[in-house]
Amino acid sequence: MAGDVERRRKEKLRRHCGVLDVPVSRDANISYLEAIKDRARLVTSYWSLDGGDSWDSSVAGEGISPDPIDSILWAHILMQIFAWGVLFPIGMVLGIIRSRWHVPVQAFSTVLALAAWFLGHAHKGRQFAPNAHASFAPVLMLLLLAQVVLGVYLKLHLEKGIHGRIRRWVVPAHGVVGKALPVVAWVQMLLGGIAALGFCRGDHLGQCLAHFIMGSAFIAYGIVLTILLLVGQAWLAATGRSQEFFDSVVIAAWGCVNTFTEHRWGGPWVHNDLQHTSMGVIWWCAGLLGIWLSRTRSGRPKRNLIPALVILLTGYAMSAHPQSLPLSTMVHTVFGYTLMGAGLTRLIEISFVLRDRNSLAEDGTEANSFQYLPPFLLYASGFLFMGATEEQMKLLSDGGVTHVSYILILYSFAFLLFLFVNMLVYLYATHAQPTSVKLDPEALRANGATNGGINGHLTRPELERRVRDAEEFELQGLISDDEAADGLKSPETPRAPVAS
């Protein structure tokens, strides 16, 4: 028995030293414990994510071991992406519209997320140094636990006595946590991708933060524009502010932050400090102007082109950003052109498509096909910028990947996310704000009817007119001439029901 234990200790030492190309001492007088202490001067050992007492084979200064990702970890990744990235957002929208499918979808998502969480602690293969993804996971799971507890309490319908006062606080808390979960999950998924590749450590941390924060901000801006375009016009009118007012406030605030954080004041100006700081300056200067121009002399909200111009200028600056690798230069150039396209299309939309109006229709339910371009290009800009960090560019360049293939892949991600957001907005709009009904286009053409609604839908006034015509046609043979004459004389007088 003792011999087996000693043999396993020797094999374990040889395995880990072999991975690091450190020779095992052949001196029989030196114990294996002393050999381990001697090798510890050359090796930085990390605990694995499963919290066990096994050695992690990460090399000093690296975030990951050279082992490949095993099937268990792949299952963890795919299950978590499906649960947090697809099911939970769908369940959130179902909760907003008070669908009976809200609870089943969220319950299944929770079970799937918990199962994937346990898989993340049971994998073999590639091991990881302590990282933000592992540290942030308990926070995300605590939020999920709190959301489940709040949801169960609301499902019990306890409304009498003290529960009536508690419920007034639980209802908004459940809504806030539910809407925050997709945002927090997005952060955790980004951290997971960074941890899987061992990126953003040491000197790379600063530029990683800049790329992922700014890229996520562009995507978030695109999502907000999509929501405002399709279902947000009523809310915007209720605020008494133009859309550019809110855009300019955010631009000015972000510019102030960039002005004082992109350079270490008191130190030398290095790399791209001057360009980043000057971009921060133009953002808060233009943002203040956009706020001023967002109202008329009479105080009414007014559209303006300042936010679109800021996006265009930012894209121009990014397209000329100096880079160390040719691949990085091309990716940053296309990112800049894409961002310039977002600003230019937004300018055309306000000036020529909408002509300074908030929307094409009074009820804000119709959108011109051109209006989808600005938000989509913001999605694409966000993915391009998040995918252009130094380490990513070095990895792709060493792997012989061309900028064309990489850019097309990032654009594919943008298309998929834009599709998913539009699907979620459609799910909300068709249940919470049913303003149109889909009719059979073949039947309409066969009857010689024209459909003036968007995408084959009838608008509510047109629908009500056709329903009224159909009802009058059906009742035509049941109404006598006297009743018809009375109806013409006093159209406001309700008719008595006709006995069949």
Side-chain angles (χ1 to χ4, degrees):
M1 185 69 178
D4 293 339
V5 173
E6 183 68 16
R7 180 177 56 80
R8 285 196 297 269
R9 289 177 58 196
K10 292 179 181 180
E11 183 63 29
K12 187 175 183 179
L13 178 61
R14 287 192 180 95
R15 183 172 67 254
H16 288 292
C17 289
V19 171
L20 299 172
D21 296 327
V22 180
V24 180
S25 174
R26 294 186 175 86
D27 190 347
N29 296 323
I30 300 178
S31 67
Y32 283 98
L33 179 60
E34 292 173 344
I36 292 175
K37 292 180 179 179
D38 183 59
R39 301 310 186 268
R41 298 187 184 96
L42 304 175
V43 178
T44 300
S45 65
Y46 295 103
W47 293 95
S48 60
L49 290 179
D50 60 4
D53 57 353
S54 61
W55 282 75
D56 178 31
S57 54
S58 298
V59 183
E62 299 292 335
I64 58 174
S65 69
D67 307 298
I69 297 177
D70 67 348
S71 58
I72 296 178
L73 188 55
W74 274 118
H76 162 78
I77 294 171
L78 296 177
M79 289 169 64
Q80 292 289 45
I81 290 176
F82 184 64
W84 292 99
V86 178
L87 293 181
F88 274 117
I90 293 175
M92 176 193 70
V93 176
L94 292 175
I96 294 175
I97 64 177
R98 301 185 181 276
S99 170
R100 61 188 178 91
W101 290 101
H102 167 67
V103 174
V105 170
Q106 295 296 68
F108 177 72
S109 305
T110 301
V111 172
L112 187 64
L114 288 174
W117 184 67
F118 283 109
L119 289 177
H121 291 73
H123 71 87
K124 304 299 181 182
R126 181 174 298 179
Q127 302 298 315
F128 306 91
N131 55 76
H133 179 70
S135 301
F136 194 61
V139 177
L140 184 62
M141 300 309 293
L142 284 176
L143 281 176
L144 178 59
L145 177 62
Q147 182 70 347
V148 171
V149 171
L150 294 173
V152 171
Y153 178 83
L154 292 176
K155 196 64 178 176
L156 295 175
H157 298 288
L158 302 175
E159 301 177 0
K160 296 182 179 180
I162 191 174
H163 292 291
R165 293 191 293 271
I166 295 177
R167 190 178 180 86
R168 287 200 299 267
W169 293 94
V170 173
V171 171
H174 185 66
V176 170
V177 176
K179 295 176 181 63
L181 277 178
V183 179
V184 180
W186 171 266
V187 176
Q188 179 67 343
M189 285 188 286
L190 291 181
L191 294 176
I194 293 171
L197 296 172
F199 287 167
C200 303
R201 309 181 71 86
D203 295 337
H204 298 290
L205 179 60
Q207 64 95 28
C208 263
L209 288 174
H211 276 258
F212 283 101
I213 292 175
M214 183 66 78
S216 298
F218 286 134
I219 295 175
Y221 189 22
I223 293 175
V224 171
L225 290 184
T226 305
I227 295 173
L228 290 175
L229 172 65
L230 300 176
V231 294
Q233 293 302 319
W235 173 86
L236 195 62
T239 63
R241 303 281 187 178
S242 68
Q243 186 171 332
E244 283 67 38
F245 170 81
F246 298 102
D247 295 351
S248 298
V249 168
V250 175
I251 287 173
W254 199 288
C256 290
V257 173
N258 276 15
T259 300
F260 298 103
T261 58
E262 292 294 337
H263 169 69
R264 294 184 179 180
W265 295 96
W269 291 84
V270 295
H271 200 46
N272 294 317
D273 284 5
L274 182 58
Q275 185 174 348
H276 291 160
T277 303
S278 62
M279 287 174 56
V281 172
I282 194 174
W283 274 48
W284 65 258
C285 292
L288 293 178
L289 176 60
I291 294 173
W292 179 263
L293 296 178
S294 63
R295 299 183 75 87
T296 63
R297 291 183 179 180
S298 60
R300 299 180 60 185
K302 180 177 176 57
R303 307 296 299 265
N304 67 74
L305 304 177
I306 300 302
L309 191 58
V310 170
I311 295 174
L312 195 152
L313 291 174
T314 303
Y316 165 73
M318 289 296 183
S319 66
H321 222 281
Q323 303 297 323
S324 57
L325 294 173
L327 175 64
S328 182
T329 300
M330 294 304 302
V331 173
H332 276 80
T333 300
V334 175
F335 158 67
Y337 290 165
T338 302
L339 198 58
M340 290 174 65
L344 181 61
T345 52
R346 182 72 187 278
L347 190 150
I348 295 173
E349 175 196 2
I350 296 173
S351 300
F352 302 104
V353 177
L354 296 177
R355 297 182 182 274
D356 279 2
R357 293 174 296 176
N358 288 328
S359 64
L360 293 175
E362 293 183 1
D363 57 2
T365 57
E366 294 187 13
N368 187 284
S369 58
F370 187 85
Q371 292 182 268
Y372 289 93
L373 272 179
F376 167 72
L377 291 174
L378 286 171
Y379 287 65
S381 300
F383 279 108
L384 286 169
F385 198 54
M386 286 193 299
T389 63
E390 295 171 348
E391 292 167 297
Q392 288 173 304
M393 296 294 94
K394 180 68 165 57
L395 179 65
L396 294 171
S397 181
D398 293 343
V401 178
T402 64
H403 71 278
V404 175
S405 302
Y406 186 55
I407 289 169
L408 291 179
I409 291 174
L410 294 178
Y411 259 85
S412 300
F413 290 153
F415 278 117
L416 287 177
L417 182 59
F418 192 48
L419 169 64
F420 185 57
V421 172
N422 273 273
M423 292 171 64
L424 293 179
V425 173
Y426 176 81
L427 177 64
Y428 168 80
T430 53
H431 291 80
Q433 298 177 344
T435 59
S436 62
V437 174
K438 181 76 173 179
L439 297 184
D440 184 7
E442 295 297 333
L444 290 174
R445 283 193 291 268
N447 295 326
T450 56
N451 192 341
I454 183 172
N455 292 334
H457 287 71
L458 285 177
T459 59
R460 179 168 291 277
E462 178 68 12
L463 174 65
E464 292 176 349
R465 184 186 66 80
R466 296 193 180 185
V467 171
R468 186 172 61 253
D469 292 345
E471 290 175 345
E472 292 176 358
F473 175 81
E474 292 173 356
L475 295 175
Q476 185 175 5
L478 301 176
I479 300 175
S480 64
D481 294 338
D482 294 336
E483 290 175 333
D486 292 338
L488 291 175
K489 292 178 181 179
S490 56
E492 298 179 356
T493 304
R495 296 191 182 99
V498 180
S500 58

